[in-house]
Amino acid sequence: MREIVLDTETTGFDPKTGDRLIEVGCIELMDLLPTGRTYHTLVNPDRLIPPDATRVHGITDDKVKDAPRFADIVKELDAFIGDAPVIAHNAQFDRNFIDFEYARIAHPLIDGSRWIDTLQLAQKKFPGMPNSLDALCKRFKVSLADRTFHGALIDARLLAEVYLELRGGKERRLDLSSARVTAVSGPVTAAAHGARPRPLAARSTEAERAAHLEFLKATLKDHTLWEGYGLDMEKAPAA
């Protein structure tokens, strides 16, 4: 199962008011684990970046002045995403900017059904609790030590770890595939698990065991139960 975790950084909150996308970061997951493949680029927004936005992500006008425009990176981005589901936190925000940039160059949009919002997943799992990416990282003990500013690729990495936890946690790393699990059918016997390498020493004496068999033969009418455990009642000493 291939999925793409995506995060963006922008000049503001709404592309309809003139804000633009300035960074995209993607992480590839396969069966809920990172493959090591990533996609990351800065994007020239053809406008100035407000100081308030720079304080959040640390991206300045100077950093993006020589970056490619979205039309120049769309083929690479499209090829990386492919037809995989797209995972994002508060996905509507990232989707608005991606859709806006696609629409500007008359590029087909990513189908809405392919977007998976981890904020909605978290709200269902932790109703009434803080569910920002930072809050979820702290809840799941995902380290934020390497993040000085918000950045598309580093936030995508953090979100990939959070998404793994939301989908079932680290126990998904266990290999429980049918190829590695051998089913044992029928009664469980010592042979099914292998013989004990060093048999335990008997805790009773021979005289005590003989006395016990005499007791069983004298008092029990149904010997079959005990014979099933290896006690040969016919060889028991006469009562």
Side-chain angles (χ1 to χ4, degrees):
M1 180 177 63
R2 183 174 183 270
E3 298 171 299
I4 300 298
V5 179
L6 177 146
D7 189 67
T8 63
E9 298 300 334
T10 66
T11 64
F13 297 104
D14 190 352
K16 294 179 181 178
T17 61
D19 288 315
R20 299 290 300 278
L21 182 146
I22 56 175
E23 186 182 26
V24 183
C26 298
I27 304 286
E28 182 184 61
L29 302 182
M30 190 68 72
D31 296 329
L32 298 176
L33 291 175
T35 65
R37 291 187 68 228
T38 65
Y39 177 81
H40 173 249
T41 185
L42 292 172
V43 179
N44 188 330
D46 287 317
R47 57 152 291 173
L48 296 177
I49 301 173
D52 286 347
T54 297
R55 278 191 284 272
V56 173
H57 47 56
I59 301 173
T60 63
D61 295 322
D62 190 57
K63 287 183 178 180
V64 298
K65 68 179 182 180
D66 295 322
R69 290 169 173 78
F70 191 83
D72 299 322
I73 62 99
V74 67
K75 288 184 178 179
E76 290 181 354
L77 177 62
D78 234 19
F80 188 85
I81 294 175
D83 59 359
V86 180
I87 317 300
H89 197 71
N90 190 17
Q92 192 59 55
F93 178 88
D94 300 281
R95 182 183 172 189
N96 284 344
F97 278 92
I98 294 292
D99 284 356
F100 178 82
E101 297 293 348
Y102 275 3
R104 285 186 75 251
I105 57 175
H107 189 283
L109 307 185
I110 298 173
D111 189 272
S113 64
R114 289 170 53 194
W115 288 86
I116 297 175
D117 189 353
T118 50
L119 176 59
Q120 292 182 2
L121 295 179
Q123 287 171 337
K124 290 179 181 178
K125 190 166 186 175
F126 306 109
M129 298 180 67
N131 286 307
S132 66
L133 180 57
D134 283 15
L136 291 170
C137 285
K138 292 176 183 176
R139 190 171 304 147
F140 291 130
K141 295 180 172 57
V142 175
S143 175
L144 296 168
D146 294 335
R147 187 177 69 175
T148 303
F149 293 102
H150 285 266
L153 189 59
I154 192 170
D155 281 4
R157 292 185 189 278
L158 295 172
L159 182 56
E161 293 192 56
V162 165
Y163 179 59
L164 171 63
E165 296 291 350
L166 290 172
R167 289 292 303 271
K170 292 183 175 61
E171 66 268 18
R172 287 186 175 273
R173 297 178 187 271
L174 298 176
D175 187 356
L176 299 178
S177 64
S178 58
R180 293 184 178 270
V181 178
T182 302
V184 178
S185 59
V188 177
T189 64
H193 298 283
R196 182 184 291 275
R198 187 171 61 184
L200 295 176
R203 300 291 296 273
S204 60
T205 67
E206 185 175 347
E208 289 171 336
R209 292 194 294 274
H212 182 62
L213 288 174
E214 289 178 2
F215 169 78
L216 292 177
K217 188 172 182 180
T219 57
L220 298 179
K221 295 181 180 180
D222 185 4
H223 299 160
T224 57
L225 173 64
W226 296 97
E227 289 168 353
Y229 284 90
L231 300 179
D232 189 343
M233 300 301 294
E234 296 302 322
K235 293 182 181 179

